[in-house]
Amino acid sequence: MNRYPMWKNLLVLIVLIVATIFAMPNLFGDDPAVQISAGRSATVDLALADTAETALKEAGIDYKGIELEDDKLLVRLTSADSQLQAKEVLNQTLTGDYIIALNLAPTTPDWLASLGAEPMNLGLDLRGGVHFLMEVDMFAAVKQALDGYGSDLRLLLRDEKIRYKQIKVEEQQLIVVFRNAEDRDAAETLISNEINALLVNTAEDTTDPALVMQLDDVNLRETKRLALQQNITTLRNRINELGVAEPTVQQQGENRIVVQLPGVQDTAQAKKILGATATLEFRLVDFESDVQDAVNGRVPPNSELFYHRDGRPYLLNKRVMLTGEHVINAQSTLDPQSGSPAVSVTLDGKGARIFSNITRDNIGNPMAVVFIESKTETKEIDGELTKVRRQVPEIINVATIRDQLSKKFQITGLDSTTEARDLALLLRAGALAAPIEIVEERTVGPSLGQDNIDQGFASVMIGFAFVLVFMLLWYKVFGFVANLALAANLIFIVALLSMLQATLTLPGIAGIVLTVGMAVDANVLIFERIREELRNGNSPQASINSGYGKAFSTIADANITTLIAAIVLFGFGTGSIKGFAVTLSLGIITSMFTAIMGTRSVVNLIYGRQHKPKLSI
């Protein structure tokens, strides 16, 4: 009655052995490490390893070893301080296109690693680093889309010879002002037929005939979605260039992005790079008009007034020759003639053709490189503090076009090698589709992360110990069996987290602590049922069988409803809530296995072969 077939006992034993193997890597800890990977124009090889080793020895930095694997160089250090020092030294030594990141290298033995066993990942709150919550300016995204449609309208109306006075974007609307009602009506019919994304209406409260257009609901949602996704992609590219190991960049809601950078402690540099919405524009200089007249307010209609970073005014053509979106690669370098910092730029095919044609036709004329940065300022407007975004353009370089330029060229006039490196990074990673604002920032230090690990581990152990003592005192031998199952349950959870390469966070530890308490619920139901059967006069063997059989439906109902709640939390939650839901879900599944099949297997081995055993319960 209470004997498992051999295959069931073997199944329980094999599952326990496999789980133990995959949980073991978490016992060995990590080494502070510096990870070196190659950019587009560099390689990671033994020569690089020799260079890194020489630099560390000259700097007097102790290290455990240097490993070359998977096109990456891993330098294992002895402490967090030596890790930071090593990164600084390697940043100064390796002048090529290398990405140098702080990392944690597991010390898993080779025989475990050969089996594919790896430790679970640690979240930001356990490892230390920076957490940003960023909000995308969707109004700016819509405005950019409407600006694009405005350019299309200019060409469309010009081709159809429909006269207009002005095209402008105001308050999420594209407004076209005409000279007379006939032109307006002709344009309304044309736009309705040619541009389906715009809702076209006649303006009633304007002195001149005008059309007011806005994006329809479908295109409005799509514009916002694409802006968010492009910003996520751009942020990932920038983080990769920053050299952060195992970053997290994910969407939260309709207009927010969560960025977590493990191991990063320099928040100022991270904010500068992630939040920058800087772009480049290449424009021809209007050398025919008088700059001083423009400074006095008389700007020619086809030109704009800009200022060089040294304060000199320049008149530039309104037409933009080229923007940073055509840049496919950029590297900081030194100008071979002057020795000053520079950026070597490589354009894509379309950008190269445009640049080649324009520079061919303007040899001998001056060209300016304009650096445009979006900044957010807080101002008091009508008694309320309001965040206002403004664009700050400045000319960083003016040079005469000597030859026809094409795919590769240099930008000079930069103040420092740091500025050249940051500009190259932004050009490589691409521009943000819309400005972003950091609405929340949290920094977790490495020591605080370790404190969180210690406290989380202590909470699990304390809860585990209290449950062990209670079960042992209250249910005796059966309580001891339940304690074995509880220990196996913890091993299963850790093993699954490691096998899935899930990330453990503080809320995840809370889920494990909750699971420790919930894991014995099933055993309590079973054991109380067995006691009840014994009080009713049933035999010990029948009581055991009845206890496990009749309690199963109650256990299943309780765990399935909790599992559904955990799945909902995972589906609709973000970040730490997902971490809690993952450990809770895994704990429910493993506790069902250990409480029903695991404990039954041990109880059967103890009492199954006895005819009339005396149960210690």
Side-chain angles (χ1 to χ4, degrees):
M1 181 184 296
N2 291 313
R3 293 183 186 178
Y4 265 169
M6 182 60 71
W7 70 267
K8 281 193 176 182
N9 290 325
L10 286 175
L11 175 63
V12 173
L13 182 61
I14 291 171
V15 170
L16 181 60
I17 292 173
V18 171
T20 302
I21 290 174
F22 280 90
M24 283 178 64
N26 297 282
L27 299 175
F28 296 97
D30 300 297
D31 283 334
V34 175
Q35 177 182 295
I36 305 171
S37 52
R40 291 183 177 89
S41 59
T43 56
V44 175
D45 51 19
L46 292 176
L48 178 67
D50 292 338
T51 302
E53 184 176 9
T54 302
L56 294 175
K57 285 181 177 179
E58 290 178 353
I61 298 174
D62 293 331
Y63 63 95
K64 290 185 176 181
I66 299 179
E67 303 169 6
L68 183 62
E69 55 181 21
D70 299 331
D71 297 327
K72 293 179 182 178
L73 193 68
L74 196 67
V75 182
R76 293 179 181 267
L77 285 308
T78 56
S79 66
D81 290 338
S82 61
Q83 180 190 32
L84 295 174
Q85 294 171 7
K87 183 184 179 185
E88 184 66 26
V89 169
L90 293 173
N91 267 327
Q92 296 174 359
T93 304
L94 305 181
T95 56
D97 185 16
Y98 294 104
I99 299 170
I100 302 174
L102 298 178
N103 204 347
L104 291 175
T107 57
T108 307
D110 292 339
W111 69 271
L112 276 176
S114 65
L115 296 174
E118 298 178 0
M120 71 181 89
N121 297 320
L122 296 180
L124 192 73
D125 45 8
L126 300 179
R127 186 176 176 182
V130 185
H131 167 99
F132 294 118
L133 178 61
M134 299 180 167
E135 188 170 82
V136 181
D137 186 354
M138 290 302 178
F139 286 98
V142 174
K143 181 180 182 301
Q144 289 178 11
L146 291 175
D147 284 336
Y149 283 113
S151 299
D152 294 340
L153 281 179
R154 288 185 180 90
L155 294 176
L156 184 63
L157 296 176
R158 190 179 303 139
D159 291 342
E160 297 297 325
K161 295 182 173 54
I162 297 176
R163 294 172 298 172
Y164 64 91
K165 293 176 64 177
Q166 186 182 20
I167 295 179
K168 59 184 178 179
V169 176
E170 290 182 357
E171 298 181 354
Q172 309 290 284
Q173 293 179 330
L174 180 61
I175 302 172
V176 185
V177 182
F178 297 90
R179 299 181 183 278
N180 53 62
E182 290 77 12
D183 288 333
R184 180 200 61 192
D185 295 340
E188 181 177 8
T189 303
L190 177 65
I191 296 170
S192 298
N193 293 333
E194 296 293 331
I195 306 179
N196 298 325
L198 296 175
L199 298 175
V200 185
N201 295 293
T202 303
E204 302 293 343
D205 55 349
T206 56
T207 54
D208 293 318
L211 293 176
V212 177
M213 289 155 280
Q214 58 188 19
L215 293 172
D216 61 27
D217 291 341
V218 174
N219 284 277
L220 183 63
R221 286 195 299 270
E222 184 66 9
T223 298
K224 292 180 178 180
R225 186 189 69 82
L226 289 176
L228 187 67
Q229 292 303 317
Q230 184 177 331
N231 274 9
I232 289 175
T233 301
T234 300
L235 287 175
R236 285 195 178 120
N237 291 337
R238 291 184 179 183
I239 291 168
N240 290 338
E241 296 288 347
L242 272 175
V244 178
E246 300 174 11
T248 298
V249 183
Q250 60 186 19
Q251 178 179 341
Q252 180 172 315
E254 295 182 351
N255 64 338
R256 289 189 170 186
I257 302 171
V258 173
V259 178
Q260 294 183 342
L261 308 177
V264 172
Q265 301 302 320
D266 186 358
T267 59
Q269 174 68 3
K271 288 166 66 175
K272 178 182 176 182
I273 297 300
L274 294 180
T277 53
T279 57
L280 280 185
E281 290 183 352
F282 299 88
R283 300 191 187 208
L284 290 172
V285 177
D286 181 3
F287 56 89
E288 296 179 351
S289 303
D290 190 345
V291 177
Q292 195 56 47
D293 286 346
V295 173
N296 294 331
R298 296 185 295 274
V299 181
N302 293 324
S303 300
E304 290 184 76
L305 181 65
F306 288 87
Y307 286 87
H308 197 280
R309 56 177 45 182
D310 61 10
R312 287 177 295 167
Y314 282 90
L315 271 175
L316 305 184
N317 287 357
K318 278 189 175 180
R319 181 188 175 191
V320 178
M321 296 169 54
L322 200 70
T323 63
E325 66 178 339
H326 294 292
V327 175
I328 59 175
N329 194 13
Q331 299 292 333
S332 59
T333 183
L334 295 176
D335 183 18
Q337 296 182 350
S338 63
S340 61
V343 174
S344 177
V345 178
T346 304
L347 301 175
D348 60 15
K350 182 179 178 181
R353 287 193 300 272
I354 295 173
F355 208 50
S356 176
N357 293 335
I358 294 178
T359 54
R360 178 196 61 204
D361 298 336
N362 289 277
I363 292 177
N365 296 333
M367 177 186 72
V369 181
V370 184
F371 181 75
I372 304 174
E373 184 176 6
S374 292
K375 293 186 177 180
T376 302
E377 297 178 347
T378 301
K379 294 184 177 180
E380 186 173 342
I381 301 177
D382 298 331
E384 295 183 359
L385 293 177
T386 305
K387 292 184 177 179
V388 179
R389 287 191 177 91
R390 64 186 183 92
Q391 288 192 329
V392 183
E394 63 174 0
I395 299 173
I396 61 175
N397 174 258
V398 176
T400 302
I401 302 173
R402 301 296 182 189
D403 299 295
Q404 181 177 355
L405 302 176
S406 184
K407 190 171 185 177
K408 293 185 177 182
F409 60 95
Q410 276 192 348
I411 299 173
T412 57
L414 303 172
D415 288 339
S416 65
T417 56
T418 300
E419 184 184 18
R421 186 169 60 247
D422 289 348
L423 178 58
L425 187 157
L426 292 174
L427 289 175
R428 284 197 303 270
L432 294 168
I436 58 175
E437 177 188 352
I438 297 174
V439 296
E440 180 185 333
E441 174 187 341
R442 295 200 306 269
T443 302
V444 181
S447 59
L448 180 58
Q450 186 59 48
D451 289 343
N452 289 339
I453 294 176
D454 296 339
Q455 292 174 7
F457 182 77
S459 66
V460 173
M461 290 299 102
I462 291 171
F464 185 67
F466 275 115
V467 172
L468 289 183
V469 172
F470 172 79
M471 293 299 290
L472 195 59
L473 293 177
W474 196 251
Y475 293 108
K476 301 181 176 68
V477 172
F478 278 78
F480 175 74
V481 173
N483 290 341
L484 291 178
L486 187 58
N489 189 54
L490 282 176
I491 294 174
F492 289 156
I493 293 174
V494 173
L496 285 173
L497 288 172
S498 301
M499 294 169 71
L500 297 173
Q501 282 298 283
T503 300
L504 181 66
T505 60
L506 269 179
I509 292 178
I512 294 176
V513 175
L514 178 61
T515 301
V516 169
M518 293 177 59
V520 297
D521 285 353
N523 292 124
V524 169
L525 289 172
I526 293 169
F527 298 164
E528 288 298 328
R529 186 70 186 191
I530 292 174
R531 282 180 170 179
E532 184 180 347
E533 293 293 327
L534 290 171
R535 286 194 295 268
N536 291 336
N538 289 333
S539 67
Q541 296 291 3
S543 298
I544 293 173
N545 188 62
S546 180
Y548 276 96
K550 293 182 178 179
F552 177 78
S553 60
T554 304
I555 295 169
D557 290 344
N559 282 278
I560 288 173
T561 52
T562 308
L563 183 60
I564 291 172
I567 292 172
V568 171
L569 279 176
F570 183 83
F572 292 94
T574 57
S576 57
I577 297 177
K578 284 182 179 288
F580 175 80
V582 167
T583 54
L584 182 60
S585 301
L586 295 178
I588 291 169
I589 296 170
T590 57
S591 66
M592 288 278 288
F593 177 80
T594 56
I596 296 172
M597 192 168 181
T599 60
R600 182 71 183 271
S601 178
V602 178
V603 168
N604 286 351
L605 290 174
I606 297 174
Y607 296 110
R609 297 184 182 276
Q610 301 178 32
H611 181 60
K612 290 184 178 181
K614 184 178 180 180
L615 303 185
S616 177
I617 185 171

